[in-house]
Amino acid sequence: MLTQKRQKLIESYVNQHELCRVSDLSKMTATSESTIRRDLIQLEDEGLIKRVHGGAQSVKNFAHDVSQHIRFTLNHEDKILIARYAVKHYVHENDYLFIDAGTTSYEMVPLIASIAGVTIVTNGIETALSAVGHGINTILLGGKIKEDTHAIVGQAALEQMQSMNFTACFMGTNGIDRQGKLTTPDLEEAAIKKAAIAHADRTYVLSDSSKIGERNFAVFGNIKQVTVITTKLNSQHQGLLPAEVDLKEAN
Amino acid sequence: MLTQKRQKLIESYVNQHELCRVSDLSKMTATSESTIRRDLIQLEDEGLIKRVHGGAQSVKNFAHDVSQHIRFTLNHEDKILIARYAVKHYVHENDYLFIDAGTTSYEMVPLIASIAGVTIVTNGIETALSAVGHGINTILLGGKIKEDTHAIVGQAALEQMQSMNFTACFMGTNGIDRQGKLTTPDLEEAAIKKAAIAHADRTYVLSDSSKIGERNFAVFGNIKQVTVITTKLNSQHQGLLPAEVDLKEAN
DNA sequence: CCTAAAAGCAATCATTTTCACTCATAAATG
DNA sequence: CATTTATGAGTGAAAATGATTGCTTTTAGG
């Protein structure tokens, strides 16, 4: 990869994520940490980012952590772990993937960029923009745009999916309850997820442990249909799941 | 191949791709890397490109971020004038509008926000995001995303439009030639524009004066089908247009 | 608060990639 | 035919990268 391209990628990643680790940038760009550090020094000289111990910080939004080191929310670290695990194990060359509009699935995109020939279909506008920015062949579903999540929903999107089959599909969830029901707050988004599952050879649900045992309004599937990828679970969480779940713990 | 032709090719390739490697150019032109390097040195001397280690970079806009591109685009004042004129005279309450992915049409969105009951259909991702942000009912066409303009194109988008009729449609153009042909560089974008015109009661083409007399590859319509909104024209520009044009000058 | 382990860093060096320069060949020009 | 011009290949130099090392900062556990 060309130096300039990599540095642009880094800049946009840092600005989008507000704060990130050297190791994440290294994974994303598939270069060594040495190179990332050199890039960060340059970018800091140009005033495009701010370097902090452990990584880099967006320079635009300084209303953040004043301390000189980075500190992620536990959630965000988990999301990256889960995304990385999913890409590493379940995305292959020339796959046709469906990726839904959630934040965890969004983290998968930069990692997919280094896998050749992948096509991403998504109903998330930001996910699509990120994928295109990473040079991935991208198809965005059409339809109404939800104001809060920027997810695309509606009949048009569902119809469009009728003519597609996915090698794999990846989606988030807002809850997995004791019966193994996968739920989300919005009916229309649930319909999209349901359709994606129906048209995919394999489905992976990305869920950090906080979603285990939760329940929401709209059911879009059952744990039996999918593989759940999550972070390390404690025994309390495991008790909240059905026994027959196909569960992968990212680490 | 002729040296000058090759250099033209290199220049346009670099500008289109924003950044590329010497090896890409070598493959594209079927010449040695030595020759490419010599060409790049010349082109850099002429200020047409910027050389970087491993390749060359467009000197014009370092705008990977299209939304940023929109803000710093050429003739911005003119575009705003045209957009304002278009909204003021041709957008009414409860209209169903098609707005294409160009920068001028993008400027219309904030102005439309104050008109009640309008629905916007667009193939521009940034246009859609802006419209949603302004609380406008927004439908985004689905399909492939073009990497350079972030326009959505392809069969899916065309099919989706089959079931729609627009009160009015607004689009940019890259050229209006002496015969009144409306042109744009990309075939697939042209197809979208063509379909929009076919499904709209009225079509308005937004064009600053620099496009008058220009010609591009893909024809998407003729001036007779549409109303052209432009800035004040001098007599030279007027000479480059057919007589029978329905022309409005914004000011 | 202190200390040990872990994580992150700058500095350095070896390797790989890219470059500038040179030279030889071939085509165009007078 | 001699001369200029464009090209491609080769070579040592320069730049970029990746890995290693020893030092500093941070974290975790008493």
Side-chain angles (χ1 to χ4, degrees):
Chain A
M1 167 155 28
L2 234 41
T3 309
Q4 277 69 21
K5 178 166 180 178
R6 188 183 58 243
Q7 293 191 354
K8 268 186 191 163
L9 214 58
I10 292 173
E11 187 201 337
S12 83
Y13 191 93
V14 170
N15 278 322
Q16 260 175 30
H17 286 72
E18 189 74 29
L19 204 57
C20 68
R21 297 183 166 280
V22 172
S23 59
D24 291 328
L25 295 169
S26 166
K27 294 252 164 49
M28 177 187 75
T29 60
T31 54
S32 69
E33 301 206 348
S34 295
T35 299
I36 297 294
R37 293 212 172 82
R38 277 186 282 249
D39 285 339
L40 292 180
I41 290 170
Q42 260 191 272
L43 291 171
E44 181 167 48
D45 283 348
E46 294 169 36
L48 299 172
I49 58 152
K50 177 165 166 44
R51 231 148 82 85
V52 296
H53 192 93
Q57 192 173 17
S58 163
V59 80
K60 291 177 184 167
N61 215 339
F62 33 83
H64 226 255
D65 204 334
V66 234
S67 78
Q68 285 299 299
H69 63 276
I70 72 172
R71 200 184 297 277
F72 279 131
T73 64
L74 182 64
N75 253 350
H76 190 180
E77 268 190 28
D78 284 358
K79 283 177 206 288
I80 289 183
L81 271 179
I82 293 169
R84 184 176 305 154
Y85 185 94
V87 173
K88 185 173 165 195
H89 291 84
Y90 303 118
V91 179
H92 312 100
E93 291 197 354
N94 304 313
D95 273 0
Y96 286 80
L97 306 179
F98 179 87
I99 293 187
D100 87 337
T103 51
T104 309
S105 354
Y106 175 87
E107 297 290 345
M108 293 177 66
V109 174
L111 308 171
I112 292 172
S114 56
I115 302 175
V118 173
T119 299
I120 290 182
V121 179
T122 180
N123 70 324
I125 297 186
E126 279 79 10
T127 303
L129 281 176
S130 173
V132 170
H134 285 92
I136 301 169
N137 192 16
T138 311
I139 294 171
L140 184 56
L141 297 180
K144 260 184 313 182
I145 303 176
K146 275 192 66 194
E147 195 168 345
D148 48 355
T149 60
H150 285 183
I152 287 170
V153 297
Q155 195 54 37
L158 293 172
E159 278 173 25
Q160 208 178 335
M161 293 172 82
Q162 293 306 312
S163 54
M164 299 175 176
N165 283 305
F166 310 115
T167 323
C169 95
F170 297 88
M171 56 184 62
T173 182
N174 289 72
I176 305 179
D177 72 7
R178 220 169 296 240
Q179 286 90 52
K181 281 186 192 146
L182 304 164
T183 53
T184 187
D186 185 85
L187 263 180
E188 291 193 292
E189 285 196 58
I192 298 283
K193 286 176 196 278
K194 220 182 282 183
I197 295 174
H199 288 84
D201 297 343
R202 310 183 311 274
T203 297
Y204 302 94
V205 169
L206 315 176
S207 164
D208 62 71
S209 57
S210 70
K211 309 295 170 52
I212 310 280
E214 294 292 313
R215 263 172 73 178
N216 278 268
F217 174 57
V219 179
F220 65 86
N222 192 286
I223 223 174
K224 290 178 211 149
Q225 308 168 277
V226 307
T227 301
V228 176
I229 303 174
T230 180
T231 44
K232 195 116 194 76
L233 297 184
N234 56 33
S235 53
Q236 188 203 345
H237 282 134
Q238 281 171 341
L240 294 170
L241 285 175
E244 68 273 24
V245 56
D246 179 8
L247 188 74
K248 308 290 175 188
E249 292 182 358
N251 49 31
Chain B
M1 172 165 8
L2 223 53
T3 307
Q4 265 144 7
K5 181 172 177 182
R6 188 183 59 242
Q7 293 192 354
K8 278 268 179 228
L9 208 60
I10 291 173
E11 185 201 339
S12 77
Y13 190 93
V14 169
N15 277 320
Q16 200 172 348
H17 287 73
E18 191 75 29
L19 185 67
C20 68
R21 339 187 94 252
V22 172
S23 56
D24 294 337
L25 295 169
S26 166
K27 271 179 207 139
M28 179 189 73
T29 60
T31 54
S32 70
E33 301 206 347
S34 294
T35 300
I36 297 295
R37 292 213 172 81
R38 276 187 282 252
D39 287 338
L40 292 180
I41 290 170
Q42 260 190 271
L43 291 170
E44 182 168 47
D45 283 347
E46 295 168 36
L48 299 172
I49 59 152
K50 177 170 161 46
R51 236 146 79 83
V52 297
H53 194 90
Q57 197 171 16
S58 162
V59 79
K60 289 178 181 166
N61 49 356
F62 342 114
H64 255 228
D65 181 10
V66 175
S67 54
Q68 220 175 21
H69 180 208
I70 287 169
R71 259 172 269 142
F72 303 122
T73 188
L74 232 56
N75 298 331
H76 192 222
E77 299 299 320
D78 284 358
K79 285 176 202 283
I80 289 184
L81 272 179
I82 293 170
R84 186 174 305 151
Y85 185 96
V87 173
K88 186 172 164 196
H89 292 84
Y90 303 117
V91 179
H92 313 98
E93 291 197 357
N94 303 313
D95 273 359
Y96 285 81
L97 307 179
F98 179 87
I99 293 187
D100 88 338
T103 51
T104 310
S105 357
Y106 175 88
E107 298 293 346
M108 293 177 66
V109 173
L111 307 170
I112 292 173
S114 56
I115 302 175
V118 174
T119 298
I120 290 181
V121 179
T122 181
N123 71 325
I125 298 186
E126 278 77 13
T127 304
L129 281 175
S130 172
V132 170
H134 283 92
I136 300 170
N137 192 18
T138 310
I139 295 172
L140 184 56
L141 297 180
K144 261 185 312 184
I145 303 176
K146 277 193 64 194
E147 192 168 352
D148 48 355
T149 62
H150 285 183
I152 288 170
V153 297
Q155 194 54 37
L158 293 172
E159 277 173 26
Q160 208 179 334
M161 291 172 83
Q162 294 306 314
S163 55
M164 299 175 176
N165 282 304
F166 309 115
T167 323
C169 96
F170 298 87
M171 58 183 60
T173 182
N174 288 70
I176 305 179
D177 73 5
R178 222 170 293 241
Q179 287 91 51
K181 282 185 192 146
L182 304 165
T183 53
T184 187
D186 186 83
L187 263 180
E188 290 193 291
E189 284 196 60
I192 298 283
K193 287 176 197 279
K194 221 182 279 185
I197 294 174
H199 289 84
D201 298 344
R202 311 182 311 275
T203 298
Y204 302 93
V205 169
L206 315 176
S207 164
D208 62 69
S209 57
S210 70
K211 310 294 168 52
I212 311 280
E214 294 292 314
R215 262 170 75 177
N216 277 270
F217 174 57
V219 179
F220 64 86
N222 193 285
I223 222 173
K224 290 178 209 148
Q225 307 168 279
V226 307
T227 301
V228 176
I229 304 175
T230 180
T231 43
K232 194 113 194 82
L233 297 184
N234 56 33
S235 53
Q236 188 202 344
H237 282 133
Q238 283 171 342
L240 294 170
L241 285 175
E244 67 272 26
V245 54
D246 180 7
L247 188 75
K248 309 291 176 188
E249 293 183 357
N251 48 31

